[in-house]
Amino acid sequence: MAGLSSGGGSSLGRCSHAVVRALPESLREHALRIEKDKAVDFARAEREHQLYVAVLKSKLGLQVLELPADESLPDCVFVEDVAVVCEETALITRPGAPSRRKEVDAMKRALESLNLNIVEMTDETATLDGGDVLFTGREFFVGLSKRTNQRGAEILADTFKDYAVSTVPVYDSLHLKSFCSMAGPNLIAIGSTEAAQKALKTMQQMSDHRYDKLTVPDDAAANCIYLNIPGKGHVLLHRAPEEYPESAKVFEKLKDHMLIPIANTEMEKVDGLLTCCSVLINKTSEL
Amino acid sequence: MTTEVGPETEVKKESEQLGADAANEKHEEATESQENQKSEKTLSEEAQSSPSSPALATQSSPSSQKKEKDPSEGKGISRFIPPWLKKQKSYSLVEPKDEAKKKPVEERQAMEERESQLPEEVAEPKGNLEEATIESQQEAKADDKEEEKHSVSSADTQPAKEDSKEIGVEKVADEQEEKQKVEEKRETKEVQTAEIKMEKAPQKAPKKIKTVPCKVMLLDGTEYSCDLEKRAKGQVLFDKVCEQLNLLEKDYFGLLLRDNSDQKNWLDSSKEIKRQIRSLPWIFTFNVKFYPPDPSQLTEDITRYFLCLQLRQDIASGRLPCSFVTHALLGSYALQAELGDYDSEEHNNHYISEFQFAPNQTKEMEDKVVELHKTHRGLTPAQADSHFLENAKRLSMYGVDLHHAKDSEGVDIMLGVCANGLLIYKDRLRINRFAWPKILKISYKRSNFYIKVRPAELEQFESTIGFKLPNHRAAKRLWKVCVEHHTFYRLISPEQPPKAKFLTLGSKFRYSGRTQAQTRQASNLIDRPAPYFERTSSKRVSRSLDGAPVGITDQSLLRDFSAATVGPTGDMVFDDEAVGQTTLKNGEGRDEDGSPTKIQQLKLTQDEKSSHETLNVVEEKKQAEVGIEETVVIDEINRGTIQAVTDAGESRKVEHLSKKDSSSLSSDSSSSSESEDEVVGEYQPHHRAAEDIIREEQEENEDAKRMPKECATKVIQSVETIQEGSKVTVNQTQVTAKALSQENAVAIKTGEKNVMEEGKQDLRAEDEEEQLRINGDVSHVDIDVVPQIICCSEPPVVKTEMVTISDATQRTEISTKEVPIVQTETKTITYESPQFDGSAGGDAGVLLSAQTITSESVSTTTTTHITKTVKGGVSETRIEKRIVITGDADIDHDQALAQAIKEAKEQHPDMSVTRVVVHKETELAEEGEE
């Protein structure tokens, strides 16, 4: 039975399925990126991604739907941006980057196969990247960024009526989740930059709820994946110590979590972070 | 509307209600213009008591009517203005000779009035005292002309009478409850004829009590009918309904007036119903008013049951949005509660269609509901209700009371008032949120609604944010809802509304019920077996015991009511507690010796406790204080100049000003001496509120729109005259004061007004406002000056010249930046009469006490500042009243002013009115809206 995520966030991280997508070779040359000068080691990127998927599938036991890459969609590996799934409902977004709009098709089919209630963002004026959507288990924060606009946020609010949807201006980063994510049922991981801290303040002010925060030195490392897997408890996928040693130390202080460091060096060069590469779904009812 | 026939002095109370209508109609025919006034009056009846009666005002000017028989004046403000004031209209501010003659007359009259009041109080004559007191005099003096005027004016006097009646009743009730009985009684005596009458009225005609049939729509869709005494207060009806429902935890509920708007208008239980419903039928709706954030903490299942019924309505109507899945889930619990376990035989496919779960209910949803219903097997109705509530309470719009508004840029938004604070929505999105602890003050003015918020971490000044509501009434409604929600959810006990003491013009609205903390405490004491109740449409339910599952009950009992203060922000809880403590201390301090200094210190302590920036705060405050005092002094100087120019008799004022006690109504009297402590006490509750001072609008445009056009023109001229004098300095001073006042709403107006007034009143009022705000102000506000009540422990000597200016500039910036700019047109006129008893001004005397009282009614806000000084062994009391009349164009400002003037005289019969400043401000830009 569904219902509101009971217990005020305690269902956060519950997950039975994940949707991922292979990365196309076109990613190396054509994937969108803020900093143009970084060369992507595609082979390494692929290895990292395979490891990522393996963790979800083998280590955590999720049912993983792996969508094939589409060379015409260089950013298609970043599936998070094209769908927001909460409970039984999936909102297929309208990505802010026009070059990415076709990415939704494969995702829609995949989510339909999972029997989710599909809501499509058809409004031509709306844009929304899933990377701008932070679901805390109690409410949504939507970053208003270059990729996400007010209308997109409104449609999200209409889709998930049970929850408060607050908007957070995002200035310096690609997405809201470029510097934050949930690291636990009531715990927001947040980067240390001024922009990140400011956004956190905004979120704190907008919320009736009081979140704990986990501040990490590196913004990118603040993007982690929290899961609550039956039998495994709190699981946290975070960036590897080789990449962000200081931030990794912070995560290592989380005693209750099963910590899984994952390297994401190559993808980060095209602004891809840990959460970007999967859509996590909790199917409670049988398919 | 019920009326009496005006001209007849002896109106029988008994006949008042019914016979009136006919008479009324006549009046309407006679004077169309009066009709307007009448309906306007009705408006003003609505929510607030505006105790003073225009009737008195009208009649108060018998002498003026006699002297100036010019009929053309009958409609204007002049009709209401005492003779000496009329003289003033000839622009010359001072006419000592004339005034000298008139003044004694005034005084004599005042004396007469007073004398006549007292006896009546003791032995009530049959006649309706409302009119009798004054009218008897009038009649005696009146000539034919007056008779005519009387009949004309009678129509508009009626509603006011009703007003004053109610106040009277309230007073009586208060007296019984209040410890300060003595003082209260004194008040009653010296002040109001109307009140006295009220007390007697019920006794006079017990047999003739009129009842009104009234209906209440209950949450289960049934209807409750009863007969109510016509003048019954809301509480009576509410109690009856709750009794009928067998509901003990009733503080979460309320009665809604039935009007056509989609807005919720709550019946104020402390006010007469009659005055609130106006022309509407006596039909009400019983509803949840305060949604308990955690319904599991309710003690009784029956309470949860009613809450469920309310939420089912909210959900089905779409007021409480939720997703498909949640609709289905909540629907299934509702079914379980109402029908019991799913029974495949009994519950065929259609059983569900009679229920509405969602605004747009689909077959798919119904199927889902049935599917879920099957899974609830075994849940008792009470358990099903609990599950229902556990899910419903998490909905983001649970307990959020939405109001349409526009932001400062004219963008449509919604303001949501809830347990935790104020939420700002644009479309479905939450774009801002102001938790109660963040809000320092809530005010409204015309159709604008303002919140003053604490400075953010690195900011130095708090800011005021303005919103535009559709109209004045909507702004006030929102304001009231905020006051109520804040009090209910955040305070331990409600603030006492300021007692109407010297001012009877209106009372400040406060939430008068129990707070959540109190109601939880009370519920914990509920000791009765779980009451049996029948759920609406299913008898099956009754077979299962409605007793709560043990677990739930226990939980609620275990929970300490202190949980009430647990807000989203943990630290703020301490605020509240600290505040509570401080309040107590304050009270003690006052009781001991009334030493203002002490209180001040306590306040500072309080600041430290509850604010995050401690030292800074205090310092800033002190600075601000300095600024204010400086301002005052400057003002004094200016006053001196002015007086030299204008009026010798006024010199006395200078001296008073220096003591911060200028007043337009003044005379020697020690009558107010006792009340000062008490008055401070009246504001004490603000301390409790600590982080928020919620104050009703203190408008500067007191006389706005009140003046007839003829007057307005003259006003301008007189203004010019004044300005010729040594006015410039004054203006500056007042600008400073305005800046200091820091309240944008005020600031705008004050600035304009200052130019024209002598500023005395203005300054006073601002100071008063400062005081009011400060009383509860925990903030780090530089401008929130320590109240003068407190300051006066040290003579208001100038301290320095510093600070003020910089403050002022900053202030001003803020105001202009934050607040939607309101275009206004301002006009001011000053009437003065000389004072004879004052000495020539140099001697400052010793300030004994100063106090400020604010009261508010639908259309008027009255701020009264009373100062008492001793000079050469003679004590003087000066009362300055500032009356702000606001409102939609439908308010008769002339009459309101007249009423105020008259009332002032009534209240202080042994004092004389020395000066009246009329300041009119019209909002130009938004004419259409109001």
Side-chain angles (χ1 to χ4, degrees):
Chain A
M1 178 190 349
L4 292 174
S5 71
S6 47
S10 67
S11 72
L12 180 74
R14 297 256 180 209
C15 182
S16 60
H17 292 69
V19 178
V20 298
R21 193 164 192 177
L23 54 168
E25 285 189 50
S26 57
L27 175 140
R28 187 174 47 197
E29 296 300 327
H30 301 293
L32 302 170
R33 66 204 80 184
I34 294 175
E35 295 178 48
K36 310 284 181 197
D37 53 346
K38 291 182 181 167
V40 177
D41 177 343
F42 185 74
R44 190 176 171 195
E46 269 194 317
R47 278 199 307 279
E48 287 177 348
H49 188 63
Q50 281 159 10
L51 182 65
Y52 176 92
V53 174
V55 165
L56 296 178
K57 200 192 294 186
S58 312
K59 193 153 189 171
L60 300 177
L62 303 182
Q63 302 220 22
V64 179
L65 273 74
E66 296 185 68
L67 306 180
D70 184 333
E71 289 298 331
S72 68
L73 300 169
D75 290 295
C76 68
V77 66
F78 304 123
V79 289
E80 174 188 53
D81 290 326
V82 297
V84 178
V85 179
C86 181
E87 288 140 21
E88 302 281 307
T89 302
L91 172 65
I92 306 296
T93 69
R94 189 168 179 274
S99 67
R100 301 192 58 188
R101 303 253 160 90
K102 286 208 157 52
E103 291 178 31
V104 300
D105 300 335
M107 177 59 74
K108 186 181 161 200
R109 283 191 298 272
L111 296 176
E112 277 169 350
S113 75
L114 290 173
N115 251 345
L116 295 172
N117 307 315
I118 306 286
V119 178
E120 290 184 81
M121 194 176 279
T122 49
D123 190 324
E124 299 273 311
T125 64
T127 63
L128 180 89
D129 274 15
D132 276 316
V133 179
L134 177 67
F135 179 62
T136 69
R138 300 169 181 274
E139 63 192 310
F140 285 94
F141 294 105
V142 177
L144 297 180
S145 65
K146 290 191 185 71
R147 297 282 180 86
T148 299
N149 64 18
Q150 178 93 12
R151 184 72 193 119
E154 278 169 33
I155 291 171
L156 181 121
D158 278 338
T159 307
F160 303 106
K161 287 198 179 87
D162 293 348
Y163 296 99
V165 178
S166 306
T167 55
V168 184
V170 172
Y171 299 110
D172 299 334
S173 309
L174 178 65
H175 287 140
L176 175 66
K177 281 196 281 190
S178 299
F179 50 77
C180 68
S181 63
M182 294 309 288
N186 194 33
L187 182 63
I188 297 178
I190 185 78
S192 296
T193 60
E194 200 180 316
Q197 291 295 320
K198 196 175 172 209
L200 178 67
K201 284 224 165 54
T202 305
M203 291 191 280
Q204 284 171 333
Q205 185 189 329
M206 301 276 249
S207 176
D208 292 326
H209 184 66
R210 202 177 176 203
Y211 296 100
D212 298 323
K213 63 173 177 176
L214 180 71
T215 308
V216 296
D218 310 288
D219 275 8
N223 181 292
C224 55
I225 298 177
Y226 168 78
L227 292 166
N228 186 350
I229 306 293
K232 296 193 170 57
H234 302 297
V235 178
L236 193 67
L237 280 60
H238 66 90
R239 298 297 291 274
E242 305 82 57
E243 300 175 297
Y244 293 107
E246 295 305 314
S247 293
K249 280 182 198 161
V250 176
F251 286 118
E252 280 156 16
K253 289 178 188 158
L254 293 172
K255 298 300 178 200
D256 295 338
H257 290 57
M258 173 200 263
L259 297 172
I260 304 176
I262 293 185
N264 194 43
T265 322
E266 298 308 310
M267 225 81 97
E268 190 182 331
K269 292 174 181 168
V270 287
D271 307 319
L273 299 175
L274 288 181
T275 60
C276 301
C277 300
S278 60
V279 171
L280 301 174
I281 297 147
N282 191 31
K283 278 301 288 185
T284 48
S285 50
E286 65 300 330
L287 287 178
Chain B
M1 172 175 315
T2 69
T3 52
E4 302 169 16
V5 182
E8 279 84 45
T9 310
E10 293 85 19
V11 180
K12 280 111 201 159
K13 242 231 151 99
E14 306 90 289
S15 66
E16 162 188 351
Q17 316 294 3
L18 297 183
D21 290 317
N24 236 349
E25 280 166 25
K26 273 185 197 167
H27 289 308
E28 286 174 26
E29 289 168 26
T31 49
E32 277 217 349
S33 64
Q34 296 295 342
E35 194 179 338
N36 289 336
Q37 294 179 338
K38 207 165 68 172
S39 56
E40 286 150 17
K41 274 304 161 196
T42 340
L43 296 183
S44 70
E45 286 175 18
E46 177 190 25
Q48 300 293 335
S49 56
S50 59
S52 66
S53 82
L56 299 183
T58 321
Q59 295 149 0
S60 78
S61 49
S63 51
S64 75
Q65 284 169 341
K66 266 196 291 181
K67 283 173 190 158
E68 317 199 5
K69 298 179 178 174
D70 179 2
S72 71
E73 299 208 3
K75 276 209 67 175
I77 189 176
S78 50
R79 176 177 48 149
F80 306 109
I81 294 182
W84 58 267
L85 288 180
K86 287 208 170 173
K87 275 283 179 188
Q88 291 307 116
K89 270 172 69 188
S90 56
Y91 322 144
S92 61
L93 288 176
V94 194
E95 297 180 26
K97 283 177 197 168
D98 272 301
E99 311 232 344
K101 282 177 207 156
K102 279 168 199 160
K103 178 112 188 243
V105 176
E106 277 300 284
E107 281 174 351
R108 205 186 330 124
Q109 193 184 336
M111 287 298 286
E112 282 169 11
E113 285 175 9
R114 194 192 200 186
E115 283 163 13
S116 61
Q117 276 173 23
L118 292 176
E120 279 162 6
E121 186 183 5
V122 179
E124 173 92 358
K126 298 163 205 158
N128 184 347
L129 283 188
E130 263 171 347
E131 306 224 325
T133 318
I134 294 153
E135 247 174 57
S136 57
Q137 298 171 1
Q138 277 184 321
E139 297 287 327
K141 295 175 193 165
D143 53 18
D144 294 47
K145 253 178 194 156
E146 192 193 345
E147 283 281 333
E148 289 168 18
K149 284 193 176 165
H150 243 313
S151 59
V152 168
S153 62
S154 60
D156 39 331
T157 54
Q158 305 307 339
K161 277 180 207 157
E162 292 169 8
D163 288 359
S164 46
K165 274 177 218 162
E166 165 167 340
I167 290 295
V169 173
E170 282 174 1
K171 262 265 166 83
V172 175
D174 283 346
E175 277 178 23
Q176 287 162 355
E177 294 161 8
E178 283 298 320
K179 293 166 197 164
Q180 305 121 325
K181 256 182 208 164
V182 182
E183 273 150 3
E184 284 257 79
K185 283 217 172 115
R186 253 179 69 265
E187 283 309 314
T188 330
K189 274 185 212 160
E190 73 184 27
V191 182
Q192 289 239 320
T193 354
E195 274 172 33
I196 299 158
K197 277 168 236 149
M198 284 346 301
E199 293 175 29
K200 312 240 158 111
Q203 301 164 355
K204 252 199 298 180
K207 48 177 180 180
K208 301 244 181 173
I209 288 177
K210 295 283 190 310
T211 59
V212 184
C214 104
K215 281 183 189 170
V216 180
M217 311 306 295
L218 302 177
L219 285 165
D220 62 4
T222 60
E223 202 177 279
Y224 167 74
S225 306
C226 66
D227 286 339
L228 279 185
E229 203 222 320
K230 189 155 190 179
R231 287 203 306 275
K233 289 186 180 176
Q235 189 70 43
V236 174
L237 178 59
F238 183 67
D239 287 344
K240 278 187 171 214
V241 173
C242 290
E243 192 183 344
Q244 163 79 16
L245 295 173
N246 201 12
L247 177 64
L248 291 184
E249 294 175 284
K250 54 190 180 185
D251 302 296
Y252 300 96
F253 301 84
L255 291 174
L256 283 173
L257 303 173
R258 260 223 176 165
D259 62 2
N260 301 324
S261 74
D262 58 340
Q263 296 294 325
K264 289 183 174 179
N265 282 305
W266 294 103
L267 183 71
D268 187 335
S269 52
S270 65
K271 303 261 189 316
E272 279 183 34
I273 297 169
K274 186 179 64 173
R275 294 184 53 237
Q276 300 179 61
I277 59 170
R278 290 172 281 151
S279 58
L280 300 168
W282 286 50
I283 302 177
F284 308 90
T285 309
F286 181 79
N287 254 8
V288 172
K289 187 173 186 181
F290 303 110
Y291 290 76
D294 185 358
S296 68
Q297 288 199 39
L298 296 173
T299 297
E300 295 202 297
D301 287 333
I302 191 169
T303 317
R304 269 185 286 273
Y305 168 63
F306 291 123
L307 178 58
C308 281
L309 291 180
Q310 174 72 66
L311 287 165
R312 282 165 64 175
Q313 276 183 20
D314 293 346
I315 291 167
S317 69
R319 277 195 302 273
L320 181 57
C322 47
S323 66
F324 174 89
V325 175
T326 304
H327 274 307
L329 181 65
L330 294 175
S332 68
Y333 283 126
L335 277 191
Q336 179 71 19
E338 194 163 318
L339 303 178
D341 291 347
Y342 177 80
D343 182 332
S344 53
E345 290 181 9
E346 197 177 328
H347 298 153
N348 57 36
N349 288 337
H350 304 294
Y351 82 106
I352 192 174
S353 306
E354 7 178 307
F355 295 91
Q356 201 189 357
F357 307 105
N360 304 308
Q361 190 164 319
T362 59
K363 181 76 172 70
E364 189 191 5
M365 182 179 291
E366 290 177 0
D367 291 346
K368 183 82 176 169
V369 171
V370 174
E371 181 192 324
L372 292 169
H373 182 197
K374 293 174 185 169
T375 69
H376 300 325
R377 182 164 297 278
L379 289 186
T380 66
Q383 286 171 325
D385 280 349
S386 291
H387 283 286
F388 179 97
L389 293 175
E390 283 308 293
N391 283 280
K393 76 173 188 190
R394 288 198 200 97
L395 294 167
S396 77
M397 298 307 284
Y398 173 83
V400 178
D401 188 31
L402 286 177
H403 299 253
H404 289 281
K406 290 184 195 302
D407 67 10
S408 54
E409 283 153 16
V411 178
D412 283 318
I413 55 170
M414 300 286 276
L415 300 181
V417 185
C418 68
N420 293 322
L422 193 60
L423 303 165
I424 319 293
Y425 295 92
K426 183 166 181 292
D427 298 308
R428 276 263 163 72
L429 301 173
R430 188 184 287 184
I431 55 171
N432 214 338
R433 171 181 174 272
F434 301 96
W436 292 126
K438 225 181 168 276
I439 299 176
L440 294 168
K441 193 175 105 178
I442 302 171
S443 55
Y444 74 92
K445 171 171 164 179
R446 294 208 204 87
S447 57
N448 295 315
F449 173 79
Y450 302 97
I451 57 173
K452 184 157 84 176
V453 298
R454 250 174 227 291
E457 262 172 53
L458 300 175
E459 293 167 19
Q460 228 179 341
F461 300 103
E462 71 274 351
S463 49
T464 297
I465 299 162
F467 303 95
K468 182 87 184 157
L469 276 286
N471 53 51
H472 172 71
R473 214 165 287 144
K476 176 159 186 172
R477 182 166 46 224
L478 171 58
W479 179 85
K480 285 174 86 170
V481 167
C482 283
V483 170
E484 291 179 326
H485 275 69
H486 171 264
T487 308
F488 184 81
Y489 290 110
R490 295 287 300 176
L491 299 189
I492 294 184
S493 60
E495 300 178 75
Q496 291 294 314
K499 292 264 152 21
K501 292 245 155 140
F502 296 90
L503 12 112
T504 39
L505 236 198
S507 66
K508 261 172 98 178
F509 172 80
R510 285 290 181 275
Y511 173 62
S512 56
R514 287 196 290 210
T515 64
Q516 180 173 239
Q518 288 172 325
T519 193
R520 281 184 182 171
Q521 208 167 19
S523 319
N524 283 344
L525 301 176
I526 291 178
D527 182 24
R528 66 172 181 182
Y532 169 84
F533 57 95
E534 244 177 56
R535 287 160 201 264
T536 357
S537 42
S538 172
K539 304 297 175 199
R540 296 189 56 194
V541 172
S542 57
R543 69 176 154 75
S544 45
L545 288 176
D546 275 319
V550 180
I552 291 173
T553 317
D554 285 350
Q555 277 174 12
S556 59
L557 287 173
L558 286 174
R559 265 166 218 163
D560 188 327
F561 81 97
S562 69
T565 51
V566 177
T569 37
D571 357 351
M572 292 316 177
V573 174
F574 293 110
D575 280 9
D576 278 354
E577 285 165 9
V579 171
Q581 290 162 8
T582 318
T583 313
L584 289 177
K585 280 190 213 155
N586 276 344
E588 288 162 17
R590 216 180 49 244
D591 289 342
E592 282 164 22
D593 55 4
S595 152
T597 325
K598 212 167 206 168
I599 296 171
Q600 179 175 359
Q601 282 164 355
L602 284 169
K603 267 184 202 146
L604 295 177
T605 322
Q606 177 188 337
D607 286 344
E608 284 164 15
K609 272 188 204 159
S610 49
S611 77
H612 306 289
E613 312 159 37
T614 48
L615 273 180
N616 268 348
V617 175
V618 176
E619 274 182 28
E620 280 173 348
K621 274 201 175 179
K622 280 182 178 161
Q623 286 175 354
E625 184 185 345
V626 170
I628 283 285
E629 291 192 353
E630 180 189 26
T631 313
V632 171
V633 172
I634 294 172
D635 180 61
E636 171 195 344
I637 296 162
N638 289 328
R639 184 61 32 67
T641 331
I642 292 157
Q643 280 161 355
V645 174
T646 54
D647 168 12
E650 242 200 282
S651 54
R652 182 179 167 208
K653 257 180 210 156
V654 176
E655 139 202 337
H656 284 290
L657 279 168
S658 66
K659 300 164 206 159
K660 301 185 169 186
D661 66 340
S662 71
S663 70
S664 18
L665 315 169
S666 77
S667 79
D668 292 350
S669 161
S670 57
S671 61
S672 64
S673 59
E674 267 178 87
S675 46
E676 69 174 37
D677 291 76
E678 208 181 322
V679 169
V680 177
E682 284 171 15
Y683 289 100
Q684 213 54 41
H686 287 295
H687 291 278
R688 222 174 296 166
E691 73 272 23
D692 339 6
I693 306 241
I694 303 179
R695 221 166 44 67
E696 192 128 8
E697 55 180 340
Q698 280 290 317
E699 300 193 40
E700 304 312 295
N701 63 331
E702 37 179 323
D703 307 323
K705 300 174 191 167
R706 188 189 317 162
M707 298 179 41
K709 295 220 167 131
E710 329 125 36
C711 276
T713 340
K714 289 171 187 172
V715 169
I716 292 170
Q717 291 167 341
S718 69
V719 166
E720 284 164 5
T721 323
I722 297 174
Q723 283 176 332
E724 290 169 15
S726 54
K727 254 316 169 105
V728 184
T729 340
V730 176
N731 294 347
Q732 288 171 348
T733 313
Q734 299 202 327
V735 171
T736 316
K738 143 193 151 188
L740 282 168
S741 84
Q742 192 193 12
E743 184 192 351
N744 295 329
V746 174
I748 295 173
K749 296 244 175 87
T750 334
E752 294 158 358
K753 184 195 210 168
N754 290 338
V755 182
M756 298 149 261
E757 286 191 2
E758 292 201 0
K760 170 180 65 179
Q761 220 168 347
D762 255 21
L763 247 192
R764 218 85 306 280
E766 276 167 13
D767 290 346
E768 288 157 16
E769 285 168 4
E770 291 303 332
Q771 294 174 8
L772 292 173
R773 226 172 302 141
I774 285 151
N775 273 334
D777 218 338
V778 191
S779 73
H780 348 93
V781 184
D782 41 343
I783 288 131
D784 280 343
V785 187
V786 175
Q788 276 167 352
I789 311 171
I790 285 155
C791 298
C792 61
S793 58
E794 27 178 311
V797 180
V798 195
K799 288 189 176 165
T800 55
E801 294 178 14
M802 50 174 262
V803 186
T804 316
I805 290 166
S806 61
D807 263 347
T809 42
Q810 275 156 326
R811 273 293 54 89
T812 319
E813 276 169 31
I814 286 174
S815 351
T816 41
K817 186 169 56 188
E818 304 282 357
V819 178
I821 291 164
V822 180
Q823 282 267 323
T824 54
E825 178 184 51
T826 343
K827 293 170 183 173
T828 300
I829 185 165
T830 304
Y831 306 93
E832 287 190 65
S833 74
Q835 291 185 321
F836 297 95
D837 43 354
S839 63
D843 177 13
V846 178
L847 179 61
L848 286 186
S849 65
Q851 61 181 103
T852 303
I853 308 165
T854 303
S855 72
E856 185 268 349
S857 73
V858 152
S859 58
T860 58
T861 300
T862 304
T863 308
T864 304
H865 191 72
I866 301 164
T867 42
K868 201 186 165 204
T869 55
V870 169
K871 177 186 59 183
V874 181
S875 82
E876 283 182 0
T877 303
R878 213 161 246 283
I879 301 174
E880 175 168 322
K881 266 187 199 238
R882 143 181 290 233
I883 299 140
V884 178
I885 303 173
T886 335
D888 313 62
D890 53 6
I891 290 173
D892 183 344
H893 294 94
D894 297 352
Q895 193 161 25
L897 172 61
Q899 173 184 335
I901 294 172
K902 175 59 191 169
E903 188 193 2
K905 291 174 67 181
E906 286 292 314
Q907 288 174 1
H908 313 287
D910 48 351
M911 296 192 174
S912 54
V913 176
T914 56
R915 179 165 137 120
V916 174
V917 178
V918 177
H919 173 81
K920 172 179 180 169
E921 184 172 313
T922 320
E923 200 168 325
L924 293 177
E926 316 182 329
E927 219 70 80
E929 298 217 32
E930 294 199 0

